[in-house]
Amino acid sequence: MALINCAECGNQVSTSAPACPGCNATPEVFNPESLRRKVIRIGVGLTLIVVAVLWAYNSLSEFKEMFS
């Protein structure tokens, strides 16, 4: 259990605390590990969307070639 500074108010907050005792900020605001996981999830999601769009475009191109 480490102490970090809250990004909102600057108070010392435990990394396992449910909220900052000074300003009631949620862990997503003051815990960099939560933020890192959120960024990774967004990155993976965007990558999957790009792959799906490219796959659909490739499938559509092959379909058009069959009937050209």
Side-chain angles (χ1 to χ4, degrees):
M1 171 168 82
L3 292 176
I4 57 174
N5 291 329
C6 175
E8 292 290 316
C9 66
N11 284 340
Q12 292 276 315
V13 183
S14 169
T15 55
S16 62
C20 174
C23 65
N24 206 27
T26 59
E28 288 80 23
V29 173
F30 65 79
N31 191 346
E33 191 63 34
S34 295
L35 181 61
R36 186 176 301 128
R37 277 187 247 132
K38 192 175 198 177
V39 169
I40 290 172
R41 286 181 186 150
I42 290 171
V44 169
L46 288 175
T47 302
L48 290 174
I49 289 171
V50 168
V51 168
V53 167
L54 291 174
W55 176 78
Y57 179 76
N58 188 33
S59 296
L60 183 61
S61 297
E62 289 176 4
F63 183 75
K64 285 182 180 179
E65 288 177 11
M66 286 185 351
F67 293 104
S68 296

